[in-house]
Amino acid sequence: MKNLIIIACLAIGFNTFAQNDKQAETLLDEVSTKIKNYENISLDFKYELNNISENISQETRGDVVIASDKYKLNILGITRIFDGKTLYTISPEDEEVTISTDNTEDESTITPSKMLSFYEDGYSYKMDIIQNVKGRKIQYVKLTPMDTNSEIKHVLLGVDATTKHIYNLIEVGKNGTKTTLTVNSFKTDQPISKTLFTFDKSKYSDYFINNID
């Protein structure tokens, strides 16, 4: 799931390293400045996973609403609600709700609440190619993990040069797996319910509640 949750990778801030491309740093800073002023972000996205050697190909769609460190994510028939303290994973197919404390110390798990700052530490970056996508100028930034033991070979972050919003993200793993997340709809400061990030236990009285903490 960790690759799946790297949806937009919108930076709130990041450290500067000597090897970083100044143009890339400026672009990411522009994205950061714009994103951190939004009250909330709503994304509809497409997720693709491919590994030719393993004959794996998967494509699905999902959506997520993020406000500060809270989020509600719908993907693969499962809903994940994080209220800032507790993560609720709701599986209608299994009629089960798993309740846990979000493991923010596990750097290998990138959750929606982290996606706004996933490359704040641990990546070097430089400008990459520019592509014209349906009339949109997409500038890619190549991010390379500084940890040589990382399972990630590199990440390509596509930024719309006009809006300074994330268009897509392509993660290439050392095992040959390529994960692509493309933002189909990017909305900000939408009116959202005060209970959007609240888990209502009464709605799941027939579900098995699995509290793993």
Side-chain angles (χ1 to χ4, degrees), residues 36-48:
K36 69 182 181 182
N37 289 322
Y38 296 136
E39 293 292 327
N40 59 67
I41 299 171
S42 301
L43 302 175
D44 291 321
F45 60 89
K46 179 174 70 173
Y47 164 74
E48 300 170 272

Side-chain angles (χ1 to χ4, degrees), residues 2 5 31 44 59 85 115 124 149 156 176 183-184 213:
K2 67 175 181 179
I5 309 304
V31 173
D44 291 321
E59 180 177 324
K85 295 182 179 179
M115 82 166 90
S124 61
N149 294 319
L156 287 171
V183 177
N184 296 320
D213 290 332

Side-chain angles (χ1 to χ4, degrees), residues 1-49:
M1 182 66 74
K2 67 175 181 179
N3 291 334
L4 174 63
I5 309 304
I6 312 177
I7 301 167
C9 308
L10 313 171
I12 289 177
F14 43 87
N15 292 334
T16 301
F17 300 98
Q19 66 267 40
N20 287 334
D21 185 313
K22 281 295 182 182
Q23 279 187 298
E25 182 180 328
T26 298
L27 178 60
L28 294 178
D29 188 50
E30 288 176 326
V31 173
S32 169
T33 299
K34 196 161 191 177
I35 293 302
K36 69 182 181 182
N37 289 322
Y38 296 136
E39 293 292 327
N40 59 67
I41 299 171
S42 301
L43 302 175
D44 291 321
F45 60 89
K46 179 174 70 173
Y47 164 74
E48 300 170 272
L49 184 148

Side-chain angles (χ1 to χ4, degrees), residues 128-168:
D128 205 86
I129 63 172
I130 298 175
Q131 287 188 341
N132 189 303
V133 180
K134 297 180 180 179
R136 298 170 66 186
K137 181 182 177 183
I138 306 300
Q139 172 66 65
Y140 283 90
V141 176
K142 185 175 183 179
L143 299 107
T144 304
M146 301 181 74
D147 180 2
T148 57
N149 294 319
S150 173
E151 296 178 0
I152 300 172
K153 184 178 180 181
H154 65 261
V155 176
L156 287 171
L157 188 65
V159 178
D160 187 311
T162 300
T163 65
K164 299 301 186 294
H165 287 166
I166 302 300
Y167 168 69
N168 71 347

Side-chain angles (χ1 to χ4, degrees), residues 16 39 73 80 84 87 90-91 98 100-101 110 112 125 144 147 156 178 186 201-202 206 213:
T16 301
E39 293 292 327
L73 169 71
R80 292 164 63 92
L87 176 65
I90 305 164
S91 174
T98 301
S100 64
T101 301
I110 302 179
Y125 41 84
T144 304
D147 180 2
L156 287 171
K178 179 180 178 182
F186 188 112
K201 188 176 181 179
S202 65
D206 296 332
D213 290 332

